[in-house]
Amino acid sequence: MIPKACMTVLFVLLLAQAHANTEKVIFVSPPAVSIKTSGPSFEQLHLPHITPEKSSLRLSLQAAFPSERQPRGLDTWYMLRSLNPTQRYEVRVCWAATQPTNFWLDVYNTSHVFDTPDLIQSLAVFAETQQAIERPQSTGSEALEESLLFLHFQAAADFFSTNRTLMNSPPAVDVELILDPYLVNAFPRSLLPTAIYVVALAVGSWILSGMIWKRLFSSTNKPHND
Ligand SMILES: *[C@@H]1O[C@H](CO)[C@@H](O)[C@H](O)[C@H]1NC(C)=O
């Protein structure tokens, strides 16, 4: 029993360790809305897309030190597109401990962003910086209706250095951004191998402890039989 408990504790510690540099947001995707026939075209914003087909992005993200005007550092915007309507997802950002940064992740539906002055302003500023970047036009989906969300990303550098260059412009942070659908709306798909491993470990150790116990039992009983 003790080794099993130890394994569990160890495993929990490992998990906690692995998640130390992860920030995430869990959400249920909205119903599909009509996008081509009404409202502003999202293509014009030139925002980078994350879709279930292309669900992992490696990025170099600009961060800034918190200031009075930007207490959460620099804003970055993405679009989550071609989502399965009313499915639970999570978006995770992972980064190296060697680049200390605070991240905030929020998802908003389109009407909320367009109705909130602070958000639409931040989105407009970001979209302007994106116009300059040549990005291959995404083919996009041909569907007239689509479940989509805005992903609002804020990155604040969180370190102190005597190096003035670093303090004036913190280096970009290498991150991995992952869109992960939940299986039956309950369990992140990417954690499935871990879950299988834990179950296999539990079943294996249960069988093993049964065998050991049986062997101990039969060896202690032997003198009585002889
Ligand atoms: C400060 O950091 C920059 C960027 O990493 C580096 O190029 C420069 O050599 C550093 N300066 C000092 C004095 O360490």
Short mmCIF file of all heavy atoms in Angstrom, two decimals, residues 161-166 171, ligand 1:
data_model
loop_
_atom_site.label_atom_id
_atom_site.label_comp_id
_atom_site.label_asym_id
_atom_site.label_seq_id
_atom_site.Cartn_x
_atom_site.Cartn_y
_atom_site.Cartn_z
N SER A 161 16.22 43.18 -13.50
CA SER A 161 17.60 43.03 -13.93
C SER A 161 18.30 44.37 -13.78
O SER A 161 17.68 45.43 -13.91
CB SER A 161 17.64 42.56 -15.39
OG SER A 161 18.94 42.73 -15.90
N THR A 162 19.60 44.31 -13.48
CA THR A 162 20.37 45.57 -13.42
C THR A 162 20.72 46.02 -14.84
O THR A 162 21.19 47.13 -15.03
CB THR A 162 21.66 45.37 -12.62
OG1 THR A 162 22.33 44.22 -13.12
CG2 THR A 162 21.37 45.20 -11.14
N ASN A 163 20.48 45.13 -15.80
CA ASN A 163 20.74 45.45 -17.20
C ASN A 163 19.64 46.39 -17.73
O ASN A 163 18.49 46.01 -17.85
CB ASN A 163 20.79 44.15 -18.00
CG ASN A 163 21.14 44.40 -19.45
OD1 ASN A 163 20.78 45.43 -20.02
ND2 ASN A 163 21.85 43.45 -20.05
N ARG A 164 20.03 47.61 -18.06
CA ARG A 164 19.08 48.63 -18.48
C ARG A 164 18.37 48.25 -19.78
O ARG A 164 17.18 48.51 -19.95
CB ARG A 164 19.81 49.96 -18.68
CG ARG A 164 19.21 51.09 -17.91
CD ARG A 164 20.18 52.27 -17.93
NE ARG A 164 20.53 52.65 -16.58
CZ ARG A 164 19.78 53.47 -15.84
NH1 ARG A 164 18.66 53.95 -16.32
NH2 ARG A 164 20.13 53.80 -14.62
N THR A 165 19.12 47.65 -20.69
CA THR A 165 18.53 47.25 -21.98
C THR A 165 17.34 46.32 -21.74
O THR A 165 16.28 46.49 -22.33
CB THR A 165 19.58 46.51 -22.83
OG1 THR A 165 20.84 47.17 -22.67
CG2 THR A 165 19.19 46.50 -24.29
N LEU A 166 17.56 45.34 -20.86
CA LEU A 166 16.51 44.36 -20.58
C LEU A 166 15.31 45.03 -19.90
O LEU A 166 14.17 44.69 -20.18
CB LEU A 166 17.05 43.24 -19.69
CG LEU A 166 17.96 42.22 -20.37
CD1 LEU A 166 18.44 41.19 -19.37
CD2 LEU A 166 17.21 41.54 -21.51
N PRO A 171 12.70 41.02 -23.41
CA PRO A 171 12.73 40.18 -24.61
C PRO A 171 11.40 39.44 -24.80
O PRO A 171 10.68 39.19 -23.83
CB PRO A 171 13.87 39.20 -24.33
CG PRO A 171 14.06 39.21 -22.86
CD PRO A 171 13.61 40.55 -22.37
C1 LIG B 1 22.09 43.62 -21.44
O1 LIG B 1 21.21 42.72 -22.13
C2 LIG B 1 21.35 42.76 -23.55
C3 LIG B 1 20.26 41.90 -24.14
O2 LIG B 1 20.27 40.60 -23.59
C4 LIG B 1 22.74 42.31 -23.92
O3 LIG B 1 22.90 42.34 -25.31
C5 LIG B 1 23.76 43.21 -23.25
O4 LIG B 1 25.06 42.72 -23.50
C6 LIG B 1 23.52 43.29 -21.74
N1 LIG B 1 24.40 44.32 -21.16
C7 LIG B 1 25.13 44.10 -20.08
C8 LIG B 1 25.93 45.27 -19.60
O5 LIG B 1 25.19 43.01 -19.53
#
